[in-house]
Amino acid sequence: MDYDKLYKLAFDFKKTNLWNQVHESEIFAVKLSDGRIGYITITGEVGEVYMLSVYVGEDAVQGLLKMMFETPIFFSRFEQYEFMFIQNCLQCSFEDKQDIGSEEADIVKKYAKKHRIKISGKNAFPFFWKYAPYRIPGKIKSESDAEDLQEALLAALEIAKLLDNGDSKEKIGLKKVSKRTKKIIMLERNDDSYKISKTDFPKIKAPKYPVPKCENELAFTRLKTFENKIDLECEIVRRTEPFTENEDSDVAGFPVMLYAINAKSFFMLPVEPVLFYEDNPDKLLDCFINALAKFEICPTEITAVNKQTYEFFKPFGEKLGIKVEYSYEPSEAMEEYQLKMEEGLSEDDDFENSMTEEQLEQMNELLNGLLGVGQGKMSKEEFIDFMGGLGLSDKTMNAIEDVEEHNNRKKNLPDNVISLDSKRKKPKNDGADTAYVISVSVYKGCYRHIKMSGDSTLFDLHSAIIDAFDFDDDHLHVFFMDNKLWSWSNRYYDERADEPGDTTSDVTLEELNLFVGDQFKYVFDFGDEWVFQCKVLRKFNEPNVENQIIKVVGESPEQYPDEDEFWDEDEDF
């Protein structure tokens, strides 16, 4: 493919420094020669990256709109990547030589030398990217994509010419867009000139989730014969590591993982990752059914923790005749697994997806023991020996022990039934090397995950909660560590309150000797009485932790709702 036209336009565009005049959110459109519309953004105002991006068609621009208007301040790592993975555009960017590789750099140098163009400084080498949803971005290779990018660059050069000739952005009609924007300017080429008109600015569309057809009748018939009946909590998550379908394939992308967990036993069903499941959702369903078959499990109910997963499993539930529910809040088991994956602390998927048939048989026996199927409950010694025999790492074994200890304290099971020593030990340090992840919920579907250092005080946690829910810190507060509202024991008041005992500024999280699964209540504003439910999701060793919000679900409630909303307009005062 001949890139000379693109290189000429790219170097001409770079000379304009248009990013110094046009903000990234000042989107304009170009009507392409075949009638399609390309939506153009110019990036470079900050001075770190310089690029032109064109999104061809309303479907392609959806990724940009969601990135601009739907991204909360705090997102999990997986959710942040998801927004990047859905980008669908063509891009002319300017890179450093080492970023594009010696071969590409030599091609650019050869063109520049031939046309007497001097290349110097940072971000001096043009590169032409193609971004497609859930695929690794790469160099433009088709003539049609190259032509679309050329037309976008020409439109940008026209904008630069108008501004250089003294026209203001207001006169041209170039404005920052928002959710309320209805029209933007559109350039349409007529011979050697451009006509500027207006076109509709696309709105964010409701997502269309991939749904399997569930046509494998034999597989569903077989599932119904399995005697191991368990409930499963499921979530479809995008992996952040690129994969190829096979060694010979040059098409790489970001696969999805299907988490399937039994919340009572913390059993994780090993489901193989699937690449490009949007094109073939039945492939992911087949992997899920194959995993069920290996353990001879027939689910009795499925709880989905996001809309995508719920829509995926609806036809499966109808076909199998089981209930599929949508829950805004994941279980403790799912939250722990999510946290481990987000923090890079989990080795489970590497282990599970490389299990031998013998190990799978052992895990099946373990599952039967945990759920009381067949031979009944396992003893503590049998449980530990079994898990050790599977070749798990020390880190995973420690996590299992934490989970089992919490389960048995919670269920008050006798020590001889899958029970580990639940006696707590006093902390040996000041908590500086210990970290906690605490879930704080104000109501169903609205919660925050907050990462805290062990040497943080309860007052620090109070401040983090107030920040997480966008409240003003203008009232007193109290923590009830026994999880009972207005309890007289094990409570810590704001030091400004006239109450006896230690205050929230006097005690650290480590001194409280918190354990995974512990729950407690936090009350803010004794008049309006905002009650927050807190739960320890994770405790681990990590020095010098910076307190931070790592997950946000649901919009924060208004601290002071407008009283006018509660007045009857016809009421006479």
Side-chain angles (χ1 to χ4, degrees):
M1 178 177 159
D2 186 3
Y3 290 94
D4 281 6
K5 288 183 180 179
L6 275 175
Y7 282 129
K8 180 184 185 310
L9 291 171
F11 280 114
D12 288 346
F13 172 66
K14 188 173 186 296
K15 290 178 186 177
T16 68
N17 289 322
L18 189 56
W19 39 75
N20 292 332
Q21 303 177 74
V22 177
H23 189 271
E24 188 172 15
S25 63
E26 293 171 334
I27 299 175
F28 59 97
V30 59
K31 191 169 185 179
L32 302 176
S33 55
D34 61 2
R36 294 173 301 152
I37 296 178
Y39 301 91
I40 300 172
T41 65
I42 308 295
T43 306
E45 186 180 39
V46 177
E48 295 181 356
V49 292
Y50 304 93
M51 66 183 68
L52 173 147
S53 305
V54 57
Y55 298 77
V56 181
E58 287 194 16
D59 289 339
V61 82
Q62 290 299 308
L64 173 64
L65 299 180
K66 290 178 180 179
M67 182 77 80
M68 292 177 67
F69 302 135
E70 288 194 352
T71 309
I73 296 174
F74 300 104
F75 251 4
S76 73
R77 183 164 59 94
F78 292 114
E79 290 167 325
Q80 292 170 10
Y81 275 111
E82 184 76 13
F83 273 86
M84 290 191 295
F85 293 158
I86 62 176
Q87 298 309 302
N88 187 1
C89 67
L90 305 172
Q91 194 177 90
C92 170
S93 68
F94 296 90
E95 314 280 354
D96 289 334
K97 180 173 66 175
Q98 64 270 20
D99 293 331
I100 63 174
S102 58
E103 183 177 346
E104 287 293 336
D106 289 342
I107 294 174
V108 177
K109 287 178 181 178
K110 183 178 179 180
Y111 175 88
K113 183 177 181 180
K114 179 179 178 181
H115 295 85
R116 298 182 179 180
I117 297 172
K118 183 180 179 181
I119 300 178
S120 62
K122 295 185 62 177
N123 304 102
F125 288 76
F127 192 84
F128 312 114
W129 294 96
K130 178 180 176 64
Y131 285 80
Y134 309 115
R135 285 161 170 77
I136 302 296
K139 188 176 182 179
I140 288 177
K141 294 182 179 180
S142 75
E143 293 288 349
S144 60
D145 287 338
E147 289 172 3
D148 290 344
L149 185 55
Q150 288 168 25
E151 292 192 52
L153 285 165
L154 285 168
L157 288 170
E158 178 67 15
I159 293 290
K161 184 174 76 172
L162 292 172
L163 294 174
D164 287 344
N165 289 339
D167 289 342
S168 67
K169 289 192 291 186
E170 289 74 17
K171 182 178 179 180
I172 297 172
L174 194 60
K175 299 178 181 179
K176 291 184 179 181
V177 299
S178 70
K179 283 185 177 181
R180 296 183 297 275
T181 299
K182 294 182 179 180
K183 298 280 186 179
I184 59 173
I185 63 169
M186 181 176 71
L187 284 75
E188 184 177 358
R189 189 178 179 90
N190 294 317
D191 297 328
D192 294 330
S193 63
Y194 278 92
K195 179 181 73 173
I196 297 181
S197 59
K198 294 287 184 74
T199 188
D200 291 335
F201 184 60
K203 301 300 179 185
I204 297 178
K205 299 178 181 180
K208 293 182 180 179
Y209 299 110
V211 176
K213 296 178 181 178
C214 300
E215 294 177 335
N216 192 340
E217 298 287 346
L218 183 62
F220 281 93
T221 301
R222 188 183 178 202
L223 281 180
K224 293 176 181 179
T225 66
F226 295 148
E227 296 183 359
N228 294 333
K229 311 288 186 181
I230 63 172
D231 297 341
L232 287 174
E233 181 179 13
C234 297
E235 180 182 22
I236 294 174
V237 175
R238 183 74 50 181
R239 291 290 297 268
T240 59
E241 303 87 1
F243 279 73
T244 56
E245 290 188 299
N246 54 66
E247 293 181 359
D248 299 326
S249 175
D250 60 350
V251 180
F254 300 94
V256 295
M257 280 285 292
L258 175 56
Y259 298 165
I261 294 176
N262 178 259
K264 293 181 180 179
S265 67
F266 281 66
F267 168 76
M268 177 76 182
L269 186 72
V271 181
E272 183 181 351
V274 170
L275 198 60
F276 310 137
Y277 108 104
E278 290 78 14
D279 301 333
N280 185 10
D282 279 282
K283 185 174 181 181
L284 179 62
L285 184 64
D286 289 342
C287 291
F288 174 68
I289 292 175
N290 289 339
L292 292 172
K294 287 181 180 179
F295 291 89
E296 298 186 352
I297 293 172
C298 180
T300 54
E301 181 177 324
I302 287 179
T303 301
V305 299
N306 59 33
K307 186 69 173 176
Q308 176 183 218
T309 309
Y310 174 71
E311 294 296 334
F312 178 85
F313 274 109
K314 270 202 320 186
F316 174 83
E318 292 170 2
K319 193 82 171 181
L320 197 60
I322 65 170
K323 187 177 181 181
V324 176
E325 288 188 326
Y326 178 28
S327 174
Y328 288 96
E329 292 192 48
S331 68
E332 181 180 335
M334 180 64 80
E335 283 186 330
E336 287 207 11
Y337 193 80
Q338 289 171 338
L339 285 168
K340 289 177 183 179
M341 292 298 292
E342 288 182 16
E343 296 171 9
L345 298 175
S346 174
E347 301 171 8
D348 290 349
D349 61 342
D350 294 333
F351 156 72
E352 289 165 347
N353 286 304
S354 62
M355 291 173 71
T356 64
E357 289 297 324
E358 181 180 359
Q359 288 173 323
L360 287 169
E361 290 176 5
Q362 289 180 317
M363 187 64 89
N364 191 21
E365 293 178 29
L366 170 63
L367 177 64
N368 290 341
L370 288 173
L371 301 178
V373 179
Q375 298 179 0
K377 297 290 184 183
M378 302 176 72
S379 70
K380 174 179 67 177
E381 290 76 15
E382 290 172 331
F383 177 76
I384 296 174
D385 289 345
F386 224 110
M387 298 308 289
L390 290 174
L392 295 172
S393 68
D394 291 340
K395 184 183 293 185
T396 304
M397 285 297 296
N398 291 336
I400 291 170
E401 291 182 10
D402 283 347
V403 168
E404 291 307 323
E405 182 173 350
H406 167 60
N407 281 347
N408 294 317
R409 289 194 303 109
K410 193 171 180 180
K411 299 175 183 177
N412 294 319
L413 294 176
D415 185 63
N416 63 348
V417 180
I418 318 181
S419 177
L420 303 175
D421 182 13
S422 63
K423 184 180 294 185
R424 300 190 186 194
K425 297 178 181 180
K426 290 294 181 181
K428 296 180 180 180
N429 55 52
D430 60 2
D433 295 333
T434 305
Y436 296 83
V437 175
I438 298 173
S439 173
V440 183
S441 172
V442 66
Y443 57 77
K444 186 174 182 180
C446 181
Y447 61 92
R448 311 289 185 257
H449 289 176
I450 303 175
K451 188 176 181 180
M452 303 286 295
S453 170
D455 59 358
S456 301
T457 64
L458 280 179
F459 186 86
D460 295 328
L461 178 57
H462 146 77
S463 298
I465 294 172
I466 292 300
D467 289 343
F469 288 92
D470 300 318
F471 277 23
D472 293 329
D473 189 3
D474 52 2
H475 292 281
L476 301 179
H477 63 270
V478 60
F479 285 90
F480 297 102
M481 303 311 296
D482 58 2
N483 205 33
K484 298 177 183 178
L485 276 179
W486 308 113
S487 169
W488 283 93
S489 62
N490 203 11
R491 83 281 194 276
Y492 297 88
Y493 275 87
D494 188 325
E495 64 182 359
R496 297 167 293 179
D498 187 17
E499 294 290 340
D502 289 338
T503 70
T504 55
S505 300
D506 296 328
V507 62
T508 66
L509 299 182
E510 184 70 5
E511 288 170 343
L512 290 168
N513 200 19
L514 296 172
F515 196 83
V516 172
D518 280 350
Q519 298 190 49
F520 54 93
K521 286 181 170 57
Y522 162 72
V523 178
F524 176 72
D525 186 351
F526 300 163
D528 289 340
E529 196 173 309
W530 287 97
V531 179
F532 297 80
Q533 184 62 51
C534 306
K535 180 170 65 175
V536 180
L537 298 181
R538 186 163 179 79
K539 179 180 180 180
F540 51 97
N541 292 328
E542 183 176 330
N544 304 317
V545 167
E546 180 180 350
N547 297 343
Q548 57 183 305
I549 304 161
I550 60 175
K551 185 171 185 179
V552 171
V553 174
E555 292 188 8
S556 298
E558 290 188 41
Q559 184 177 0
Y560 302 110
D562 188 352
E563 292 183 3
D564 291 340
E565 296 179 5
F566 303 99
W567 291 353
D568 187 336
E569 294 181 356
D570 297 328
E571 190 170 351
D572 193 9
F573 287 94

